Amino acid sequence: MDSRRPPLAPAYRTLPDHVRHWAETTPDRRAFTFVDHPAPNSRGVHRTLTWQRLDLRVRALAARLAEQAEPGARVALLCPQGTDYVTGFLAALTAGMVAVPLYPPGLPGHGDRLVGVLADARPALAVTTGRVLEEVTDFCERARVPVLAADRVPDAAAEDWRAPVLDPGATAYLQYTSGSTRTPAGVEITHTNVVANARQALAAYRADAQPVTCVGWLPLYHDMGLVLSVAAPVVRGLLSVLMDPAAFLHEPARWLRLLAAHPRALSAAPNFAYDYCASTVTEAQKAELRLDGVAALINGSEPVRPGTVDRFHAAFAARGLAAEVHCPSYGLAEATVFVSAARPGEPLDRFALDRDALAAGKALPARPDDPRAVLLAGCGTPAGQRVRVVDPVSHAVLGEGEVGEIWVQGPNVGRGYWNNEPQTRRVFGATLGKDAPGGWLRTGDLGTILSGQLVVTGRLKDLIVVDGRNHYPQDVEATAQDAHPAVRRDRLAAFGVPGGGGERVVIVAEHARTTSLADIDVPSLARAVRAAVSARHGLRLADVVLVAPGAVPRTSSGKVSRALTRARYLEGAYATETAV
């Protein structure tokens, strides 16, 4: 039987130390549950590891890894979502190796990225499961990487094996960035980094003193999924309930059922997922939900849209969901993941800002009903770290209401990029002013401080500059998707391309799955998009390209990749699509 409140977390500096602690002190408590959905109408099959069982499986696999590679070697995790992924990750750390959280080669649309990451990380071996062993082995043969199936290692392998003493400052894993604006790079996250960030997140979401259940469908190869669904539960001794991302996408009500079924559920999702739930969960599905026990829902997409929060709450308020559980947050892989967060139990801080002033680097208030206002949510305050908004050119710290690059400093900031010292110095070794100490992380994100809240406005590299004025692409995209119902929400990219008289603006958008291209009046759609963007942003679109669902590339974390969309557009990849 589980007691509701786990013992106080010890002050260990590595995740393997925490696993051993919980296995010794609370052996029969549930640690990880994976809810499988083997059929379209499945309500879920639960598979659970206790802390004692998890510790045994971790030690058995770590012993087998130690037979095949030396401490410090990279271990690629090519497992499907599930408890074997958790075991593989923790076993690599326990053996003193460097985990590389990835995914099986069958993940649609990410094969090329997987090839590139393996070439960069140069793993000594890969860990997978028996279910996908054949396809992983075939894939890894080209890279000459041996493969080990975690679920085929016997418990007896743990006998007489002694784990090495870990250096908390050593690299625990390589977190490859999602590549939304550039080629993916491996961030070196140390044992100390991940434990520190787990503690920061637990404190920020008020899970350090009160019992919660971590419920998640985010992929474990993604930074937020890994920290919230693995690291934080291991540090605090909490139950983590996992499901597959594909199961969520097939039927989002499955996620909500798990939230309703577990006391004080803490979960996270990107902005689009909340819109997706609000628009697709049926009234019959809602009727079976009780969401009054949800502790916190993290929205980790930047910038967070207040309208999405409002739609989600309106859809589920009748099922007991409190408005104050929604927590807009900000983070990035280079900082392990979590940087700042709105706290549960507090109302959403929303800001209506003048679009023209924002483009000029000033966050000035506007009327919320002004059609030219930009509506943004505050991402709370830093979680146990220092945050500054800095002029990206002069490196001077900016005052409240001034827009600049977000810089971060704290024990959670990674060591740098794997095998890329020049980029590490540029991004991780920034200095505030001429004589100030360095060691600041340049995030590449733009934001400002308003009423003590961090407000994220966009990506520095994504800015569209036309006639000397800055335009945020996500702002243009929001206007475009609201202009016509056939434009698929959150599946479009706005970007600038070179032109004769300066930068030209292009939008590539998927059409909604609910209609076919033949049924869409494309010229009418393009006129509506052009008129809306012109009226709201003063921009003349050079091209509006309507493409099939799935044609706009996304990163491994599910965000639209504007950089890759732009590259494909310039290569002529969309020449056969409907451009108007």
Side-chain angles (χ1 to χ4, degrees):
M1 292 288 291
D2 286 355
S3 63
R4 287 291 308 279
R5 184 180 296 275
L8 292 176
Y12 293 123
R13 298 174 66 191
T14 74
L15 295 181
D17 283 340
H18 284 88
V19 171
R20 283 191 291 273
H21 170 80
W22 299 122
E24 291 169 358
T25 58
T26 60
D28 298 325
R29 287 178 61 87
R30 291 177 295 165
F32 289 90
T33 294
F34 179 64
V35 184
D36 194 13
H37 296 84
N41 297 321
S42 172
R43 298 283 292 190
V45 178
H46 291 59
R47 297 182 176 89
T48 295
L49 292 177
T50 64
W51 286 106
Q52 186 178 57
R53 182 68 183 157
L54 173 67
D55 178 59
L56 177 61
R57 293 304 304 153
V58 166
R59 287 188 291 108
L61 183 53
R64 190 55 54 86
L65 292 176
E67 294 175 359
Q68 301 190 30
E70 297 295 322
R74 273 79 60 209
V75 177
L77 302 177
L78 306 183
C79 304
Q81 189 98 335
T83 55
D84 287 317
Y85 201 115
V86 177
T87 301
F89 174 75
L90 294 171
L93 272 58
T94 301
M97 297 175 188
V98 178
V100 186
L102 293 168
Y103 40 83
L107 185 68
H110 296 292
D112 290 344
R113 178 181 182 272
L114 188 57
V115 170
V117 170
L118 288 180
D120 184 68
R122 303 191 305 277
L125 70 160
V127 172
T128 188
T129 64
R131 181 161 67 88
V132 294
L133 179 59
E134 184 176 350
E135 69 173 294
V136 170
T137 301
D138 290 344
F139 183 83
C140 288
E141 275 183 349
R142 285 170 278 172
R144 297 182 179 178
V145 177
V147 180
L148 178 65
D151 52 345
R152 295 187 181 178
V153 175
D155 292 351
E159 294 177 3
D160 301 322
W161 181 76
R162 293 178 64 88
V165 177
L166 301 177
D167 174 7
T171 300
Y173 62 99
L174 300 182
Q175 181 66 65
Y176 274 83
T177 60
S178 59
S180 60
T181 58
R182 55 182 168 81
T183 303
V187 182
E188 293 191 46
I189 303 297
T190 69
H191 294 279
T192 297
N193 291 154
V194 66
V195 170
N197 202 225
R199 292 188 183 281
Q200 290 165 339
L202 289 165
Y205 302 116
R206 295 176 176 156
D208 54 343
Q210 300 183 58
V212 300
T213 303
C214 296
V215 176
W217 57 265
L218 292 177
L220 298 181
Y221 57 78
H222 182 244
D223 49 13
M224 193 189 305
L226 188 64
V227 172
L228 194 68
S229 290
V230 180
V234 165
V235 166
R236 184 68 181 92
L238 303 170
L239 170 62
S240 178
V241 180
L242 304 166
M243 63 180 284
D244 194 284
F248 165 76
L249 293 172
H250 178 78
E251 188 182 321
R254 290 168 168 166
W255 176 45
L256 301 176
R257 290 190 197 112
L258 291 180
L259 292 176
H262 292 89
R264 289 192 52 78
L266 168 65
S267 194
N271 196 84
F272 88 86
Y274 294 100
D275 262 328
Y276 186 45
C277 287
S279 62
T280 59
V281 175
T282 67
E283 292 302 318
Q285 290 171 331
K286 291 178 186 178
E288 61 181 333
L289 300 174
R290 281 197 58 183
L291 300 174
D292 53 322
V294 174
L297 292 175
I298 302 164
N299 188 327
S301 175
E302 61 344 94
V304 178
R305 296 176 184 162
T308 295
V309 178
D310 294 340
R311 283 188 292 273
F312 185 79
H313 181 251
F316 300 104
R319 310 317 307 161
L321 184 73
E324 293 77 18
V325 302
H326 212 95
C327 302
S329 304
Y330 166 72
L332 68 164
E334 287 81 352
T336 306
V337 61
F338 292 102
V339 171
S340 72
R343 276 37 175 186
E346 299 176 1
L348 182 75
D349 282 285
R350 57 188 73 217
F351 301 93
L353 304 177
D354 182 270
R355 178 173 284 106
D356 292 335
L358 198 62
K362 300 288 183 181
L364 300 180
R367 295 196 322 275
D369 59 349
D370 187 336
R372 293 181 59 80
V374 178
L375 303 179
L376 297 172
C379 288
T381 54
Q385 50 205 292
R386 303 170 70 197
V387 173
R388 299 288 184 270
V389 175
V390 179
D391 185 300
V393 178
S394 70
H395 295 187
V397 177
L398 301 177
E400 180 156 327
E402 295 184 284
V403 177
E405 186 180 9
I406 300 168
W407 287 21
V408 178
Q409 191 177 72
N412 54 299
V413 173
R415 294 177 58 163
Y417 295 113
W418 164 254
N419 259 357
N420 195 336
E421 186 57 34
Q423 184 76 346
T424 294
R425 287 195 300 269
R426 192 190 73 80
V427 174
F428 288 83
T431 300
L432 287 173
K434 190 183 301 182
D435 302 316
W440 285 84
L441 168 66
R442 299 190 62 168
T443 68
D445 291 314
L446 292 169
T448 187
I449 304 296
L450 293 173
S451 302
Q453 295 265 321
L454 177 65
V455 181
V456 182
T457 59
R459 287 285 298 172
L460 187 59
K461 291 184 177 179
D462 277 349
L463 275 181
I464 300 170
V465 184
V466 177
D467 296 330
R469 294 185 67 244
N470 294 333
H471 299 271
Y472 292 96
Q474 73 276 359
D475 198 14
V476 177
E477 292 157 4
T479 298
Q481 70 184 14
D482 289 340
H484 197 283
V487 177
R488 190 180 180 196
R489 300 193 70 84
D490 299 313
R491 292 295 183 269
L492 68 166
F495 50 86
V497 296
E503 196 163 42
R504 300 159 58 242
V505 183
V506 173
I507 288 180
V508 176
E510 296 180 10
H511 66 74
R513 288 188 179 275
T514 54
T515 186
S516 67
L517 189 60
D519 295 331
I520 300 173
D521 183 345
V522 178
S524 174
L525 180 151
R527 285 195 297 272
V529 170
R530 290 178 185 276
V533 171
S534 176
R536 182 162 290 184
H537 306 277
L539 282 174
R540 179 181 179 277
L541 295 178
D543 215 350
V544 178
V545 184
L546 195 64
V547 300
V552 173
R554 287 182 288 163
T555 70
S556 61
S557 61
K559 298 177 186 177
V560 165
S561 176
R562 298 188 186 98
L564 187 51
T565 308
R566 180 180 184 273
R568 290 185 180 178
Y569 174 84
L570 293 174
E571 292 166 358
Y574 300 119
T576 58
E577 306 288 348
T578 305
V580 285

